[in-house]
Amino acid sequence: MRTIAIGLLGAGNVGGGVVRILQENRESIERRLGARVQVKRVLVRDKARGRDVNVPDDLLTTVADEVLADPDVRVVVELIGGIEPARSYVLDAIRRGKHVVTANKALLGLHGREIFGEAARCGVSVFFEASVAGGIPILRSLREGLASDEILRLQGIVNGTSNYILDAMARQGSTYDDALAAAQAAGYAEADPAADVEGIDAAQKLALLALVSFGVRVDPSAIPTEGITRIRPFEHQMAREFGWVVKSVAVARNDPDGPLLAVFPAMVPRGSLLADVHGPYNAVQVESRALGRSLYYGRGAGRMPTGAAVVSDIIEVCRGLQSFAEGRPPPQAFARVEEATPKPLDGERSENYLCVHVPNVPGVLGRVASCLGAHGVSIQRMNQDTPGENEPVDMVILTETVEEHELQAALRALDAFDDVLAPTHRLRILPPDPVD
Ligand SMILES: NC(=O)c1ccc[n+]([C@@H]2O[C@H](COP(=O)([O-])OP(=O)(O)OC[C@H]3O[C@@H](n4cnc5c(N)ncnc54)[C@H](OP(=O)(O)O)[C@@H]3O)[C@@H](O)[C@H]2O)c1
């Protein structure tokens, strides 16, 4: 049986999972592949660090070239994370004619153009299944399972940390800070959670979903992105009263005049598929022309789920090496990828939840309603708590469907009032899932 040598860059959380899966599933992988996958070298920062997976000492190295320059190594698996030195190592591997597997959405978000360009020039592949939704084979499903179909839109929960926090707030009544601390204690959030809770990580994943779904490359930092840090127990209380759940969603639509992409927290109707995605789980709903709606659900992070996605990519590369296959879909799914700028959201229409923070004085309600009306924003319903005398009020307003540019103009005017004590908090209300 042929042996295919691979080199790992990193043996931490995910790298350790990869080593374990290659060891534990060795037989079934060999049966599927008809070849043996051998981990030839493993780059780490600190060889002496205790590891909870069995990596023979003689495989470990702190010298990148011992992996990258090894002529036997055909596949380099980058699981270091971050931008540098990951970018330099990946480019070096590609230039040496090695295929690359990575889980690094931040790297692909920032340097995808350079990396995929260099891979095309050198005739090698860069696979990245684990970079989106951890263990869910969403990129492979979009790239191969739906290769015959036209993907129209996607909507999903792709950041497990945000979902864990919002879920703990909704189901256990936690505050944002307590829920974040619980996510950190459970290993679902990093010490610096900014990329997750600010929506940056979700935007990076959305850019990769758009790449594989629509054949367009967008800069993740150009995607309108809103995090979850302003969500209070009050929003969850309102969501319960109105029959919604607060979720951080990523949406993508392939419009003729360009891709529409956005990440934002939203009120999701209870009973819809995304409302039932709990804890660190992820889900992506896809709408394609022939199949209609399909759902991809599973663990969005963690050692073994993410490791499984990485090993699937390793097997795919090895299958190519085994069969010298021509014509397999390229990792980016499209033979030609176009650069694109996400469309502005101005023309989007939505119903909205607004929470306006005002003093408890006569006439405020009328002024708020008139301001919204003057900008074409109709009120569907209002709800106001009954505070003590002289205490400010959280006035909740549900709008009728309105275009984004009208709503934004109304919010600007509203927040300029002396009466409005804090920026108005707005959440979109997603429509219920359509019934076929
Ligand atoms: N964790 C998840 O659930 C998850 C899910 C999806 C995607 N990802 C992505 O997977 C990648 C890896 O994440 P992880 O959680 O496995 O990270 P991790 O636990 O921090 O592991 C990083 C590994 O890389 C090694 N390393 C770091 N910097 C290095 C350097 N400059 N030179 C040599 N070795 C270096 C570390 O060596 P030492 O062991 O000696 O410290 C460690 O083995 C990231 O891109 C992440 O975004 C992770």
Side-chain angles (χ1 to χ4, degrees):
M1 190 183 283
R2 178 181 178 192
T3 295
I4 300 173
I6 69 170
L8 298 188
L9 307 179
N13 196 15
V14 180
V18 168
V19 168
R20 185 172 288 172
I21 290 166
L22 286 171
Q23 286 167 351
E24 290 176 359
N25 297 355
R26 188 176 59 83
E27 255 181 59
S28 79
I29 291 171
E30 285 178 13
R31 279 176 52 219
R32 284 170 192 270
L33 189 58
R36 183 170 299 131
V37 178
Q38 178 207 8
V39 178
K40 176 101 189 287
R41 221 85 176 98
V42 182
L43 177 74
V44 291
R45 216 170 2 199
D46 177 6
K47 272 170 48 165
R49 201 186 109 173
R51 294 177 199 279
D52 54 1
V53 288
N54 175 23
V55 187
D57 278 350
D58 58 333
L59 296 193
L60 291 175
T61 174
T62 54
V63 180
D65 251 17
E66 289 189 12
V67 182
L68 300 171
D70 185 328
D72 292 342
V73 168
R74 303 293 307 275
V75 187
V76 169
V77 184
E78 185 277 307
L79 299 168
I80 288 177
I83 304 302
E84 282 296 350
R87 170 184 159 274
S88 303
Y89 292 166
V90 162
L91 288 171
D92 191 58
I94 289 170
R95 287 173 187 144
R96 291 175 193 267
K98 299 179 194 302
H99 300 279
V100 169
V101 172
T102 178
N104 195 334
K105 61 243 148 192
L107 177 64
L108 294 178
L110 213 53
H111 297 289
R113 192 175 172 195
E114 180 186 29
I115 289 169
F116 289 119
E118 204 58 8
R121 196 180 66 77
C122 299
V124 297
S125 296
V126 177
F127 281 90
F128 49 101
E129 180 65 64
S131 63
V132 180
I136 308 174
I138 179 67
L139 299 183
R140 192 160 277 108
S141 301
L142 292 165
R143 193 177 70 234
E144 300 203 37
L146 295 176
S148 58
D149 212 348
E150 187 189 351
I151 296 160
L152 306 171
R153 48 175 284 158
L154 312 156
Q155 173 170 292
I157 292 173
V158 293
N159 183 271
T161 308
S162 298
N163 200 53
Y164 184 95
I165 292 171
L166 292 176
D167 201 39
M169 292 176 79
R171 297 208 291 173
Q172 290 150 33
S174 311
T175 62
Y176 174 84
D177 288 340
D178 287 348
L180 171 59
Q184 283 167 327
Y188 292 125
E190 314 237 346
D192 176 4
D196 289 322
V197 298
E198 300 293 354
I200 298 162
D201 171 90
Q204 289 167 346
K205 291 166 176 168
L206 192 60
L208 293 172
L209 285 167
L211 176 68
V212 172
S213 303
F214 310 146
V216 296
R217 187 180 350 266
V218 297
D219 174 356
S221 67
I223 296 176
T225 299
E226 212 183 306
I228 61 162
T229 51
R230 284 192 72 198
I231 306 290
R232 303 162 302 166
F234 182 75
E235 271 68 50
H236 290 282
Q237 184 194 325
M238 289 299 110
R240 257 193 309 280
E241 276 181 32
F242 289 112
W244 307 314
V245 186
V246 185
K247 293 285 179 197
S248 174
V249 295
V251 297
R253 203 175 63 216
N254 196 16
D255 286 353
D257 54 345
L260 182 126
L261 307 168
V263 175
F264 49 79
M267 297 294 194
V268 176
R270 222 177 281 147
S272 58
L273 290 168
L274 293 188
D276 282 329
V277 177
H278 296 299
Y281 275 77
N282 283 189
V284 182
Q285 272 176 293
V286 179
E287 192 179 321
S288 55
R289 201 174 289 286
L291 172 63
R293 283 181 305 137
S294 52
L295 177 71
Y296 306 85
Y297 170 83
R299 286 192 177 272
R303 163 173 277 191
M304 298 307 270
T306 312
V310 171
V311 175
S312 295
D313 276 351
I314 295 170
I315 292 172
E316 184 155 353
V317 175
C318 291
R319 278 181 173 148
L321 292 172
Q322 275 288 84
S323 60
F324 308 103
E326 297 290 333
R328 286 187 71 82
Q332 296 166 269
F334 289 79
R336 207 184 68 245
V337 167
E338 280 161 24
E339 304 295 324
T341 306
K343 259 174 56 167
L345 302 178
D346 294 2
E348 287 306 288
R349 293 168 64 75
S350 64
E351 292 182 15
N352 300 279
Y353 157 99
L354 306 180
C355 180
V356 195
H357 199 58
V358 286
N360 186 15
V361 292
V364 177
L365 178 67
R367 282 195 291 282
V368 169
S370 311
C371 174
L372 291 174
H375 289 86
V377 180
S378 302
I379 296 174
Q380 196 185 111
R381 200 164 156 180
M382 278 183 108
N383 200 13
Q384 186 176 313
D385 57 359
T386 40
E389 215 174 320
N390 299 326
E391 276 185 33
V393 181
D394 273 331
M395 187 190 291
V396 169
I397 297 171
L398 309 190
T399 76
E400 299 280 4
T401 302
V402 58
E403 281 200 15
E404 185 67 16
H405 67 96
E406 288 175 319
L407 183 76
Q408 289 303 334
L411 292 179
R412 275 193 300 276
L414 200 57
D415 287 349
F417 278 13
D418 287 343
D419 278 343
V420 175
L421 304 172
T424 298
H425 195 183
R426 172 272 181 110
L427 295 175
R428 291 171 179 82
I429 304 170
L430 293 195
D433 290 342
V435 180
D436 290 332

